[in-house]
Amino acid sequence: MKRILNVVEYNKASLWIRLANNFIDLTVIYIVNYLISIIFNFLYKITSIEFFYFYSNGHILWSFLIGNFNYCLYYFLMENYLDGRTVSKYITGTKVISTDGTKPTTQQIIYRSLSRIVPFDGISFLGVNGWHDSWSYTRVINVKNYITENQSKSEIDSLGKKEIA
C-alpha cells in the first residue's frame, strides 16, 4: 500500500473541476476519433484495405473496442508523457500525481487508463475518490495550491536553520 500524504489530499481538485475535465477530455477524444474516421475513410477509398473501412464503419462491437482502445490510449499517452496532464488538465490547472506526492509511474498510469473502461467510472469521482484514482493510488490536484502549500511547508521547515552564504 502506498503512502498517502495529507498535502496531496488537501489539494485535490474539486468535483466541478473533475466534471469539467471529464467533459473537455471526452470532447477532445470525440474530435480525434472523428478526424481519424475521416482519414481512414479516405484511405479506404484509395487503397480498398478493409481495416480502414471497419475503423469508421464497423458494427457496434468494433466501434466499442476501437473507442475504448482510443480512450485508454489518449489518457495513457497524455498523462504519461505530459507530466500527468491532459488537454483538460492544462486548461483547468490540475494534474495527476501519486498519493505519496511523486510523479506517477508508468504502471500507475496504465492502471489508471485501463480502469477507465469500467462502466460508470466516469461518475465514480462523485464519491471520495474516483475508481481510477483509488485503484492506481493517484490523485488529481490543483497545481497552484499544491505548489504554494509545499513551498510554505519548506519555508517553515527552514526556519531556524543557518544560511550559508
Side-chain angles (χ1 to χ4, degrees):
M1 177 139 171
K2 284 210 171 245
R3 219 172 98 196
I4 299 176
L5 295 179
N6 286 335
V7 68
V8 173
E9 292 297 313
Y10 294 151
N11 291 294
K12 288 191 310 187
S14 71
L15 171 69
W16 295 107
I17 295 293
R18 299 292 303 269
L19 191 61
N21 285 348
N22 192 22
F23 177 75
I24 293 168
D25 281 334
L26 283 177
T27 303
V28 169
I29 291 169
Y30 285 136
I31 290 170
V32 168
N33 276 336
Y34 181 73
L35 294 175
I36 292 172
S37 293
I38 289 171
I39 291 168
F40 277 28
N41 274 333
F42 178 72
L43 290 173
Y44 174 70
K45 288 178 183 177
I46 292 173
T47 64
S48 297
I49 297 173
E50 291 295 320
F51 173 76
F52 296 130
Y53 176 79
F54 280 121
Y55 183 86
S56 57
N57 298 312
H59 56 77
I60 190 76
L61 182 60
W62 178 256
S63 298
F64 179 75
L65 291 173
I66 286 295
N68 280 330
F69 176 77
N70 290 344
Y71 187 66
C72 288
L73 188 65
Y74 169 80
Y75 279 106
F76 172 74
L77 292 175
M78 295 293 277
E79 290 178 347
N80 197 46
Y81 295 108
L82 295 179
D83 195 32
R85 293 181 136 183
T86 60
V87 171
S88 66
K89 289 178 181 74
Y90 276 107
I91 292 170
T92 60
T94 57
K95 78 185 255 183
V96 175
I97 65 170
S98 186
T99 55
D100 61 4
T102 60
K103 182 180 184 230
T105 63
T106 301
Q107 183 179 10
Q108 284 177 296
I109 298 297
I110 290 171
Y111 290 160
R112 186 176 167 79
S113 300
L114 289 176
S115 65
R116 292 176 185 275
I117 298 174
V118 175
F120 304 110
D121 176 70
I123 58 171
S124 68
F125 64 87
L126 294 174
V128 177
N129 292 308
W131 294 333
H132 56 272
D133 290 332
S134 299
W135 296 342
S136 63
Y137 298 103
T138 58
R139 298 290 184 267
V140 175
I141 54 140
N142 182 309
V143 176
K144 287 181 184 176
N145 293 348
Y146 180 76
I147 290 172
T148 302
E149 189 166 341
N150 271 345
Q151 192 173 20
S152 298
K153 285 183 185 254
S154 70
E155 288 173 3
I156 289 171
D157 290 341
S158 69
L159 285 176
K161 289 184 180 176
K162 197 180 239 185
E163 289 187 22
I164 299 173

